[in-house]
Amino acid sequence: YTSLFLAFFSCFAWLYVAGRLWQDAENRTVLSNLLQRNAAQGPKLLTVEDKLAVLGCKDLERRVVEAEMELTLAKSQGYLKSWLSLNESSSGKKFLAVIGVYTGFGSHLKRKVFRGFWMPRGDALKKLEERGVVIRFVIGRSANRGDSLDRNINGENRSTKDFLILEGHEEAQEELPKKVKSFFSTAVQTWDAEFYVKADNNINLDLEGLIELLEHRRSQASAYIGCMKSGEVVTEEGSPWYEPEWWKFGDEKSYFRHAAGSLLILSKKLARYIDINSASLKTYAHDDTSVGSWMMGLQATYIDDNRLCCSSIKQDKVCSLA
């Protein structure tokens, strides 16, 4: 029995050792596969070529930034040609003035009156442009792009050809300060003119008187012209002319000097400044004070002309309230 027991025990021990050795071999295979997989996913040692590629990207990024800075400088110095509309300025024609008359979606009847009273139509509008003066109704787009409001304006413009449509601007009363920025920027890019005039749609304009005024100011490259005033900042919410950021105007709560009212004029140099810096220019609650704030940091020539005070009773005024 002893020899039989030893034989059985030896067989059992051999089977146990063989099983352990097989299991260890399996574990080593699994571990080897995991190590190979992790090595493939681990951080790669950068070769000289890899490092050169990274440095090349950094250099390219630096050159892009430098190019953008040079582009902005060139634009500010007038070396770049603005994009021009095919129908109006592709010939490179220079104008005396571009007059933008604010209008809205609900002002169709008022536009008809304007066209019949002081704003030329059809061939007369073209002849005025031959003299160097462009007049356009200025309007943005509906909040619901492509709706009946937009379609009506498009249809009217096809018939009259006297609109400047601000494609990137949403037409709304509370967006008027942004509208004036969009107008000057778009007008500068579309027409090469000596002056850019923003006019409200509540005035009658002595067009010949305005042309004479601008002809007289041709030599003033930094002209900021209008009915200049300053005044109290309205701090009470809900009141007419309320300024939500009234606290920025100091303890006296007084506006800086600016061209107020329904008509203001900027020379090409000042309008181009607005175009170049449009993205960073701060707007306030009202368009005239917004423009005034942009002029404060520039070497602008302030020209206070009483003839541009549309509510004035002077006999020789250029504009009057409609």
Side-chain angles (χ1 to χ4, degrees):
Y1 293 102
T2 302
S3 58
L4 185 61
F5 174 77
L6 289 174
F8 175 77
F9 179 78
S10 298
C11 184
F12 177 79
W14 180 84
L15 289 173
Y16 174 77
V17 172
R20 288 299 302 270
L21 290 173
W22 179 81
Q23 187 175 11
D24 288 345
E26 284 258 316
N27 290 339
R28 282 195 298 271
T29 302
V30 171
L31 287 172
S32 177
N33 291 336
L34 287 174
L35 287 172
Q36 289 177 1
R37 192 179 308 165
N38 289 337
Q41 294 177 351
K44 178 183 177 183
L45 290 176
L46 290 178
T47 64
V48 174
E49 289 77 10
D50 292 332
K51 291 178 180 179
L52 288 175
V54 171
L55 291 174
C57 289
K58 292 293 185 182
D59 183 61
L60 181 61
E61 182 181 0
R62 176 182 59 79
R63 282 185 287 167
V64 168
V65 172
E66 290 176 352
E68 288 176 344
M69 293 173 66
E70 291 173 0
L71 187 65
T72 300
L73 179 61
K75 186 178 179 183
S76 69
Q77 295 176 344
Y79 289 110
L80 298 183
K81 292 183 179 180
S82 301
W83 62 265
L84 303 172
S85 67
L86 294 175
N87 294 330
E88 292 160 311
S89 292
S90 58
S91 63
K93 179 177 174 59
K94 294 184 180 295
F95 296 88
L96 171 65
V98 174
I99 304 172
V101 182
Y102 273 27
T103 191
F105 293 118
S107 301
H108 177 70
L109 292 178
K110 183 171 287 189
R111 288 193 293 273
K112 289 185 67 175
V113 172
F114 276 22
R115 292 185 186 108
F117 187 53
W118 66 264
M119 184 172 175
R121 295 181 288 184
D123 291 339
L125 189 65
K126 292 181 180 179
K127 288 181 180 178
L128 183 64
E129 291 177 12
E130 291 172 2
R131 290 180 58 192
V133 178
V134 175
I135 304 179
R136 292 292 185 273
F137 287 114
V138 182
I139 193 168
R141 285 301 191 184
S142 169
N144 302 310
R145 291 298 181 97
D147 63 6
S148 60
L149 297 175
D150 281 347
R151 291 196 299 272
N152 289 341
I153 291 297
N154 290 341
E156 187 177 343
N157 188 37
R158 282 193 294 271
S159 172
T160 60
K161 296 180 174 58
D162 58 5
F163 279 87
L164 173 58
I165 300 175
L166 307 175
E167 296 291 347
H169 176 73
E170 181 179 315
E171 188 67 28
Q173 182 66 30
E174 63 274 14
E175 298 295 331
L176 287 179
K178 293 180 181 178
K179 183 174 181 176
V180 74
K181 181 164 58 172
S182 182
F183 161 64
F184 281 120
S185 184
T186 305
V188 163
Q189 293 176 23
T190 308
W191 297 281
D192 182 9
E194 300 267 356
F195 298 98
Y196 298 86
V197 183
K198 173 260 173 184
D200 286 346
N201 64 356
N202 63 343
I203 64 170
N204 293 319
L205 190 63
D206 175 6
L207 196 53
E208 292 300 324
L210 178 61
I211 293 173
E212 182 182 349
L213 183 155
L214 295 176
E215 289 280 6
H216 180 68
R217 298 291 182 182
R218 269 187 185 273
S219 61
Q220 293 175 298
S222 299
Y224 173 35
I225 312 171
C227 180
M228 296 290 174
K229 74 168 192 177
S230 55
E232 182 182 358
V233 179
V234 178
T235 62
E236 186 176 348
E237 188 172 0
S239 300
W241 310 110
Y242 168 64
E243 173 57 69
E245 297 189 76
W246 54 266
W247 55 274
K248 288 187 177 180
F249 295 89
D251 295 335
E252 298 299 324
K253 307 296 185 298
S254 179
Y255 281 121
F256 37 76
R257 196 158 181 77
H258 61 280
S262 303
L263 193 66
L264 69 88
I265 303 167
L266 296 182
S267 67
K268 176 169 64 176
K269 183 177 180 180
L270 299 182
R272 182 183 290 155
Y273 169 82
I274 294 175
D275 174 35
I276 294 171
N277 299 282
S278 178
S280 59
L281 291 177
K282 163 72 179 171
T283 56
Y284 291 97
H286 313 297
D287 52 3
D288 53 359
T289 53
S290 294
V291 175
S293 72
W294 306 334
M295 297 299 106
M296 287 183 69
L298 304 179
Q299 293 290 342
T301 302
Y302 284 61
I303 300 172
D304 183 14
D305 195 318
N306 289 332
R307 290 174 294 174
L308 301 178
C309 299
C310 302
S311 59
S312 169
I313 58 174
K314 289 173 63 69
Q315 294 300 313
D316 61 344
K317 61 180 181 287
V318 169
C319 62
S320 61
L321 296 178

